[in-house]
Amino acid sequence: MAQRTRSQQADRIRHLLETEGEAIHAHASASNARRYETYGTTDDLEALRTEARTIKEDAIDRLPDLIETVRAAVEENGGTVYVADDAADANAYVADVVESRTDANGTTGDGDTPSVVKSKSMTTEEIDLNEGLEAEGIDVTETDLGEWVLQVADDTPSHIVGPAMHISRPEIAELFNERFDPDEPFETAEELTRFARDHLGEHIRAADVGITGANFIVADSGTITLITNEGNARKCAVTPDTHVAIAGVEKLIPTLSDLEPFVDIIAKSATGQPISQYVTMLSPPTDSPTLDFDSPDESITAGGEPADETGNPDRDFHLVLLDNGRMDMREDDQLRETLYCIRCGACSNSCANFQSVGGHGFGGETYSGGIATGWEAGVHGQESAAEFNDLCTGCSRCVDACPVKIDIPWINTVVRDRVNRSGESESYDFLVDGLTPDLEEGGLDPGKRFFGNIGTVAKAASATAPVSNWLADAGPVRGLLERTLGIDRRRDLPSFQRESLVDWFEDRGGADASRRRAERAASRVDAGDGDTALDREVLLYPDVYTNYVDVDRGKAAVRTLEALGVPVRVPDLPESGRAALSQGMIATADRQASRLYAALAEDLDAGRDVVVIEPSDLAAVHREYERLLPEGSVERLRANSYEICEYVYGLLENGADPSALSTGDGAEPVAYHSHCQQRTLDLEAPTVAVLERCGYAPETSSAECCGMAGSFGYKREYYELSMDVGERLASEVEGAETVVASGTSCGDQLETLLEREVPHPIELLAPGGYRA
């Protein structure tokens, strides 16, 4: 599978934004909002998520044994278990079941063609079951409303829970009117669903075989759990005399008691419902007799036993457990977590990029959204994942959404790294071999190599500013950057400062001068209130952007800390590895993490607090470093590193005087957009609290992301998508006189869209305000 060129990808995304974006955003964002509400009212949410993850970890650990356990249970119940190696194996087995059933009993309907009804199942989408059965002359009818709409439209799912999310009600009405030619045209949702219920009901009654998926399978009892909002799955399971359930092997859980947390949380995470409309548990072949639709008024039981006339008492059940790469994923330390997925779609709904383009853009052959990278790489191959993997910006909003706490951004980073390393060396690789400070192999996309080494680029640009800024903005250079690195010429480039933050700090006297300023500030505070702050000393981390571009926010942080009586140091430190991670350059990030920890060790030994302005760098330290550094080193960094406003909040809570800062009148409105990774670290609240303590009335945005996301918004193929996401955020805050944003990318994006300054909150709080 050849990957799309930048132009092809840009055209594809532009088309999806125009044709499906509005419908996708309406549905996905609404589900996301309901999830927030439902999660917020669930008292034991974190315990529930932890319990669910623990059960999945245990189940995947014991998977070979659970397969044998469920085989024994289903066979004892009178059913059959088949473990299919791959899609072709599964399809052939199911086709054989259908043909054997009709050969033995004839077809249920009027014709001679065997018929199958299906409930929604992404696993059957994965193996192209419909196409496989139809190739054998078997009629297949989807009974989930969304899947049936897609079948009628000859379309594919755009979401793993809401497959027809991208199609509006008027479009569905037009489709049905054209296909079914009703006496009165369909218009309302009620008319459409009533017609679908009656039409599909006839197919279910006439079907030879019913096929379902399974949300969960209880190994020790052979119990199949179907969780739906339409009730069609249970009809497919019990109406035809033959039921085939198809599920990935990862759907197995050990016992019935293990099922409880999943039933509780799956609807909350998927649609924001307290619980799904239908939770069906069957231990097939089910004891429930099938209905005789020719005699609907007759009792289906006689003296507690199934009546003879209520259907074929010899019910047939087949459980098809699909491998198709899953057992290899289980042995892959990096992709293994994917198998914990319960297919709720919360990662899709919480993703700003997905909300704009849906699964037809942010998805592969079968799966969509953030978790799709792991699934596609595991079951369809790395090339399928490579088609959309870059749409994951690592914003991490899916981390809080996932009901089983899968580190979805890390899975995307790992696959990106593997895709990078699978690329063929280019003829120009020798030009950069040994000249760039990364550890990546040849074949890496030059744009990714450029952004992954942005610290080196920024240092050189700062040293040659303002000439570097003038050259970068020249038309011919912008054209060259677009052709070679994929940097869209419509995007404003950062303006590098000649004097870095580190240089400015040293020029004003360095650490000694900072201590004197802090002591003077403390002496102006009453002795009873001011001593606590002086017990601290801060090492302010000069991230790439703060050090070379937005130096003013670094200066504001220094002035703020000194005004609160805390001395500061601003040493020249290695990069955090955040930029390299964003490009899938894990080896490079690993080395940078080790170098940064080594550089900080002496300061940590001295008891200094590490304060970080850029949330994405802090997130790397607190989250990704657990994948890169020894556990003890990570815990030490986590315990002693803080986001700047979080740290200021702590100082104020411990006696520092807010009057030393720039304060509002107690009700001065401020629109505040918190960086996405900052929210995942639960650090939005401290900034809000500090603003309130200092006399402001902050109103937070609800947008999940600004759309810029570091290098993402610079890339030609994603420019329109980046702006689409950003415009939703801008529309929330444009009415505010003052807008502040915590992240580098957030501020840049908003300044472009609002055409005015958008400072960091610390610039608003610093003595003299951000205009000082």
Side-chain angles (χ1 to χ4, degrees):
M1 180 191 301
Q3 279 191 256
R4 298 185 184 98
T5 65
R6 287 194 176 102
S7 293
Q8 290 171 336
Q9 181 74 314
D11 290 344
R12 172 70 173 157
I13 287 175
R14 190 179 304 113
H15 171 74
L16 291 171
L17 288 170
E18 293 172 353
T19 59
E20 300 181 4
E22 184 177 349
I24 288 287
H25 180 259
H27 290 291
S29 60
S31 292
N32 195 43
R34 289 193 299 269
R35 176 188 60 80
Y36 270 117
E37 183 177 354
T38 305
Y39 271 18
T41 58
T42 304
D43 294 335
D44 59 346
L45 177 66
E46 288 311 304
L48 192 61
R49 294 175 72 209
T50 299
E51 182 183 8
R53 181 182 174 91
T54 300
I55 293 168
K56 288 295 288 187
E57 288 177 344
D58 174 62
I60 298 304
D61 277 343
R62 298 166 52 193
L63 192 52
D65 291 339
L66 292 182
I67 291 173
E68 295 310 311
T69 299
V70 79
R71 187 194 303 276
V74 170
E75 289 177 353
E76 185 176 352
N77 293 340
T80 303
V81 173
Y82 184 77
V83 180
D85 291 333
D86 53 27
D89 189 16
N91 290 343
Y93 180 83
V94 176
D96 185 61
V97 168
V98 177
E99 291 167 1
S100 298
R101 189 271 176 211
T102 52
D103 286 347
N105 303 314
T107 58
T108 302
D110 296 333
D112 297 327
T113 303
S115 63
V116 163
V117 286
K118 283 179 70 251
S119 65
K120 187 173 77 66
S121 163
M122 290 306 297
T123 306
T124 62
E125 292 280 353
E126 175 189 324
I127 62 177
D128 293 325
L129 177 66
N130 291 14
E131 291 83 349
L133 295 181
E134 288 165 354
E136 298 297 324
I138 301 168
D139 282 344
V140 181
T141 301
E142 295 283 357
T143 64
D144 172 84
L145 179 57
E147 288 285 0
W148 185 53
V149 168
L150 297 180
Q151 187 176 33
V152 173
D154 192 22
D155 201 348
T156 57
S158 60
H159 190 284
I160 62 175
V161 172
M165 185 179 283
H166 59 289
I167 307 178
S168 66
R169 181 192 55 74
E171 289 172 328
I172 295 172
E174 182 179 355
L175 172 69
F176 280 19
N177 288 329
E178 180 180 333
R179 179 62 61 88
F180 300 107
D181 191 24
D183 294 335
E184 294 292 333
F186 301 123
E187 293 183 358
T188 68
E190 183 181 2
E191 291 169 344
L192 291 167
T193 53
R194 184 186 298 115
F195 170 75
R197 181 192 62 193
D198 295 343
H199 182 90
L200 295 175
E202 293 174 4
H203 282 269
I204 292 172
R205 289 191 289 271
D208 299 301
V209 174
I211 297 178
T212 69
N215 293 94
F216 307 99
I217 304 168
V218 179
D220 69 352
S221 63
T223 301
I224 309 299
T225 306
L226 303 171
I227 300 175
T228 71
N229 277 330
E230 296 180 21
N232 60 300
R234 64 172 70 185
K235 294 178 182 178
C236 291
V238 304
T239 304
D241 288 326
T242 299
H243 173 204
V244 179
I246 305 173
V249 291
E250 82 283 356
K251 295 296 185 73
L252 288 165
I253 57 175
T255 68
L256 192 61
S257 63
D258 293 322
L259 182 61
E260 182 179 354
F262 296 104
V263 173
D264 192 355
I265 203 168
I266 190 169
K268 291 179 172 68
S269 58
T271 57
Q273 297 169 268
I275 194 168
S276 292
Q277 298 287 348
Y278 299 94
V279 178
T280 303
M281 289 182 285
L282 304 169
S283 298
T286 177
D287 292 335
S288 302
T290 54
L291 292 172
D292 181 356
F293 287 100
D294 292 330
S295 305
D297 296 328
E298 293 187 17
S299 172
I300 63 172
T301 60
E305 296 296 327
D308 293 339
E309 68 272 22
T310 58
N312 187 344
D314 299 321
R315 291 187 53 72
D316 195 15
F317 173 68
H318 298 261
L319 173 60
V320 179
L321 293 173
L322 180 68
D323 179 354
N324 203 34
R326 287 163 172 79
M327 299 307 282
D328 288 338
M329 292 168 69
R330 178 176 175 269
E331 299 302 318
D332 186 325
D333 289 342
Q334 306 296 345
L335 292 186
R336 182 187 179 99
E337 260 194 299
T338 306
L339 298 174
Y340 305 163
C341 172
I342 63 173
R343 311 283 182 86
C344 68
C347 59
S348 297
N349 297 336
S350 64
C351 175
N353 283 345
F354 186 94
Q355 289 178 8
S356 285
V357 297
H360 290 159
F362 198 156
E365 293 183 36
T366 303
Y367 298 102
S368 58
I371 196 63
T373 290
W375 281 120
E376 290 290 324
V379 305
H380 291 309
Q382 203 161 270
E383 286 188 352
S384 179
E387 280 293 310
F388 63 92
N389 170 249
D390 284 342
L391 282 167
C392 174
T393 64
C395 80
S396 73
R397 297 310 301 136
C398 55
V399 173
D400 287 342
C402 178
V404 287
K405 298 186 175 182
I406 300 173
D407 192 348
I408 296 170
W410 181 253
I411 292 172
N412 277 270
T413 299
V414 166
V415 172
R416 191 169 302 159
D417 180 79
R418 293 177 180 181
V419 170
N420 290 346
R421 294 179 182 279
S422 67
E424 296 182 4
S425 296
E426 301 288 350
S427 59
Y428 51 74
D429 278 342
F430 75 93
L431 295 173
V432 296
D433 187 27
L435 298 179
T436 55
D438 60 65
L439 296 180
E440 308 309 308
E441 301 172 1
L444 178 63
D445 176 84
K448 290 185 177 181
R449 192 182 293 274
F450 174 85
F451 284 112
N453 289 292
I454 197 65
T456 301
V457 173
K459 186 174 183 178
S462 174
T464 56
V467 175
S468 57
N469 296 323
W470 175 81
L471 281 174
D473 269 339
V477 175
R478 292 305 304 263
L480 180 64
L481 290 174
E482 187 170 82
R483 290 192 302 274
T484 58
L485 303 179
I487 298 175
D488 197 286
R489 69 180 70 201
R490 292 167 290 183
R491 177 67 71 179
D492 292 337
L493 298 179
S495 182
F496 295 95
Q497 304 301 306
R498 183 60 178 262
E499 183 182 52
S500 69
L501 177 65
V502 171
D503 292 340
W504 169 83
F505 184 78
E506 289 303 315
D507 287 347
R508 74 197 287 266
D512 291 339
S514 179
R515 177 166 293 278
R516 290 193 296 271
R517 291 185 181 90
E519 289 173 349
R520 286 198 299 270
S523 69
R524 290 193 290 268
V525 180
D526 293 339
D529 298 325
D531 292 341
T532 305
L534 281 176
D535 291 340
R536 318 301 303 178
E537 184 178 8
V538 162
L539 184 147
L540 185 68
Y541 177 64
D543 65 86
V544 170
Y545 194 86
T546 303
N547 198 27
Y548 296 116
V549 181
D550 195 355
V551 178
D552 284 345
R553 71 177 185 175
K555 295 177 181 178
V558 171
R559 295 201 313 272
T560 298
L561 293 169
E562 291 173 346
L564 295 175
V566 179
V568 181
R569 294 170 180 255
V570 187
D572 190 7
L573 291 171
E575 292 180 67
S576 70
R578 166 55 63 203
L581 284 170
S582 72
Q583 308 306 313
M585 297 163 58
I586 294 178
T588 300
D590 186 282
R591 182 174 67 177
Q592 290 172 337
S594 297
R595 287 178 173 176
L596 180 57
Y597 179 77
L600 291 173
E602 184 176 338
D603 292 286
L604 294 173
D605 290 342
R608 297 185 183 103
D609 300 322
V610 179
V611 173
V612 183
I613 298 174
E614 175 55 42
S616 61
D617 287 282
L618 184 68
V621 171
H622 282 226
R623 296 191 67 254
E624 281 87 354
Y625 275 22
E626 69 181 23
R627 311 275 186 170
L628 307 175
L629 296 179
E631 183 179 355
S633 302
V634 175
E635 289 306 316
R636 196 174 181 210
L637 281 171
R638 281 177 177 163
N640 295 283
S641 56
Y642 309 86
E643 189 268 337
I644 179 63
C645 288
E646 172 197 16
Y647 194 79
V648 170
Y649 172 74
L651 295 175
L652 296 178
E653 285 291 290
N654 286 278
D657 184 7
S659 68
L661 306 182
S662 178
T663 56
D665 60 8
E668 184 173 336
V670 173
Y672 169 50
H673 177 66
S674 176
H675 189 280
C676 45
Q677 290 168 332
Q678 182 182 14
R679 278 179 280 167
T680 302
L681 295 176
D682 291 328
L683 293 178
E684 179 182 67
T687 301
V688 172
V690 167
L691 289 170
E692 290 174 342
R693 284 283 298 272
C694 291
Y696 298 99
E699 294 184 5
T700 58
S701 66
S702 63
E704 292 288 6
C705 184
C706 68
M708 187 66 184
S711 64
F712 182 81
Y714 286 102
K715 296 180 180 180
R716 176 185 173 191
E717 59 267 45
Y718 305 125
Y719 176 80
E720 281 94 347
L721 173 55
S722 170
M723 296 300 282
D724 184 74
V725 173
E727 284 165 0
R728 292 200 292 268
L729 168 60
S731 68
E732 283 191 41
V733 302
E734 61 187 353
E737 183 177 345
T738 302
V739 180
V740 294
S742 296
T744 295
S745 300
C746 314
D748 286 350
Q749 179 83 307
L750 285 169
E751 286 185 348
T752 296
L753 292 165
L754 300 177
E755 298 182 335
R756 54 188 165 107
E757 293 182 26
V758 177
H760 188 285
I762 202 66
E763 296 179 80
L764 188 67
L765 297 168
Y770 73 93
R771 301 186 189 281

